[in-house]
């Protein structure tokens, strides 16, 4: 039994803050939440030490965490995180999507970053405990894709400067009401192809969801913005040829014959839960799906020849987002005339219908939180 599948060890005591945001102010935020800008009234905290294991689980007031300046995470980035959402269904109940998959990935990330694994039961219990207390923060799902974004994370909080796994680790979950990840809503995004930077090398941390991967993507993202693009795409670090992923999303390619292709998992790509779900949902919609290597030439030539008709990105935050343009040093091409394609829209709709309880959950992917 790995630690992740071990039985729950944490109890979450609840200290409700007396000064929660007034209803009218909260409702004003929920009416136009943006992404990752506002946070709910509470958060989860728990601590791990080798002697006590996971302990001191609590729901407490959202606020700054006091950290020693020598806390290991500030120096060596021993940190991992997850991204999930809580969805309000039409009857008012609140659900989350495939939390076991996130718990399992959190455990894999923990192993890669030499952090302690959090048992799946504790991971799930922490989500339920926070959403129970802050349930008024879960927006109504009727307005587009509004949800409560959940951000579980874990970091080395031991105060020391030696390079070794920390002997004190903090687990935290914060929650943020979310609308569309891209401010324009469902409208095609533009992608800058990074040729100077790579995101992950074989044997590195590419498959782990750790802050360091995202930190390493920022210079490339700045380059993308400087070229007027919304997001950056990375190629593999060995041949600089194989399409990997965007700064925070996986990629899919729709072909003229209706088949769809996504880069295979090679250990350097994030094992996206949305990516994995689309593999199955696309089959339900009649598409044949391939996970295989796809080269940058295939992308460019496929779009030029009409063999690739649509490209889309996916992730918990971005859901399914069409790609309308690919630009690189010295060239660019538009995908599907810069418009959102019908297959992209159908897959997006199938996923959202499931998450918001409008379609039957035949695979048992939804877990009720409240
Ligand atoms: C998510 O999609 O949840 C992520 O963690 C990616 C991040 C860029 C927002």
């Amino acid at each position: 039994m790995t630690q992740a599948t071990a039985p729950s060890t944490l109890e979450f005591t609840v200290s409700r803050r007396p000064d929660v945001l007034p209803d009218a102010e909260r409702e004003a935020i929920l009416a136009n939440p943006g992404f990752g800008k506002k946070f709910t009234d509470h958060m989860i905290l728990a601590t791990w030490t080798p002697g006590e294991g996971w302990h001191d689980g609590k729901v407490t007031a959202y606020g700054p965490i006091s950290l020693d300046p020598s806390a290991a995470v500030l120096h060596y980035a021993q940190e991992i995180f997850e991204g999930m959402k809580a969805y309000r269904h039409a009857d008012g109940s609140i659900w989350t999507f495939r939390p076991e998959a996130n718990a399992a990935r959190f455990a894999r990330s923990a192993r890669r970053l030499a952090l302690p694994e959090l048992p799946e039961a504790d991971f799930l219990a922490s989500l339920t405990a926070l959403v129970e207390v802050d349930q008024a923060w879960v927006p109504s799902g009727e307005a587009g894709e509004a949800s409560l974004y959940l951000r579980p994370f874990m970091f080395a909080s031991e105060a020391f400067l030696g390079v070794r796994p920390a002997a004190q680790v903090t687990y935290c979950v914060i929650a943020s009401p979310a609308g569309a990840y891209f401010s324009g809503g469902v409208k095609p995004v533009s992608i800058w192809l990074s040729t100077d930077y790579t995101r992950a090398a074989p044997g590195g941390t590419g498959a782990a969801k750790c802050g360091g991967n995202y930190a390493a993507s920022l210079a490339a993202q700045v380059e993308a913005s400087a070229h007027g693009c919304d997001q950056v795409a990375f190629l593999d670090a060995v041949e600089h040829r194989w399409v990997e992923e965007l700064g925070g999303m996986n990629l899919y390619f729709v072909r003229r014959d209706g088949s769809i292709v996504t880069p295979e998992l090679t250990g350097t790509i994030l094992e996206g839960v949305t990516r994995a779900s689309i593999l199955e949902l696309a089959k339900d919609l009649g598409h044949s799906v391939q996970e295989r290597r796809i080269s940058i030439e295939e992308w460019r030539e496929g779009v030029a020849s009409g063999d690739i008709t649509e490209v889309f990105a996916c992730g918990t935050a971005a859901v399914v987002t069409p790609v309308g343009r690919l630009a690189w040093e010295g060239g660019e091409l538009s995908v599907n005339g810069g418009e959102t394609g019908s297959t992209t829209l159908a897959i997006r709709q199938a996923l959202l219908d499931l998450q918001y309880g409008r379609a039957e959950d035949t695979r048992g992917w939804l877990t009720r939180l409240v």
Side-chain angles (χ1 to χ4, degrees), residues 1 17 31 52 54 101 165-166 178 202 206 224 239 245 252 264 274 280 297 303 307 330 340 350 359 364 370:
M1 185 161 52
R17 69 191 298 167
E52 286 187 88
W54 286 108
E239 295 182 62
E245 61 182 273
Y252 268 94
E264 67 185 356
T274 309
E280 298 195 40
E297 298 87 38
V303 170
D307 186 45
T340 303
V370 177

Side-chain angles (χ1 to χ4, degrees), residues 233-313:
F234 291 100
L235 300 177
D236 77 288
V238 177
E239 295 182 62
H240 300 281
R241 177 168 182 220
W242 306 104
V243 177
E244 296 222 310
E245 61 182 273
L246 304 185
M249 280 155 266
N250 294 117
L251 274 170
Y252 268 94
F253 299 84
V254 182
R255 303 183 56 201
R256 185 169 32 202
D257 64 5
S259 63
I260 70 173
V261 183
T262 192
E264 67 185 356
L265 301 176
T266 53
T268 55
I269 297 178
L270 186 80
E271 296 162 6
V273 176
T274 309
R275 173 192 177 282
S277 306
I278 290 171
L279 286 176
E280 298 195 40
L281 292 177
K283 285 182 204 148
D284 293 352
L285 294 173
H287 298 277
S288 79
V289 186
Q290 291 175 303
E291 293 179 86
R292 64 166 170 83
R293 296 207 295 184
I294 174 162
S295 68
I296 187 61
E297 298 87 38
E298 183 177 349
W299 182 348
R300 285 188 190 134
E301 287 161 19
V303 170
S305 70
D307 186 45
I308 292 175
T309 51
E310 300 174 35
V311 180
F312 64 86

Side-chain angles (χ1 to χ4, degrees), residues 35 81-85 102 105 149-151 181 209 214 231 247-249 270 274 314-319:
F35 182 84
F81 70 97
E82 276 300 321
M84 313 172 65
K85 283 177 173 171
N102 292 89
R105 185 174 64 187
Y149 186 80
L150 304 173
R151 171 54 64 88
Y181 181 66
K209 203 160 173 67
Y214 294 77
Q231 266 284 323
M249 280 155 266
L270 186 80
T274 309
C314 65
T316 299
V319 193

Side-chain angles (χ1 to χ4, degrees), residues 6 8 60 106 143 151 155 163 173 225 237 250 279 290 320 349 354:
S8 163
T60 187
F106 201 48
R151 171 54 64 88
F155 58 92
V163 182
V173 189
S225 303
N250 294 117
L279 286 176
Q290 291 175 303
V320 169
Q349 199 58 47
L354 187 52

Side-chain angles (χ1 to χ4, degrees), residues 87 89 95 97 274 319 350-358 366:
Y87 307 91
H89 287 189
W95 300 72
F97 184 68
T274 309
V319 193
L351 181 63
L352 289 172
D353 283 348
L354 187 52
Q355 291 171 331
Y356 285 95
R358 298 186 293 254
L366 295 181

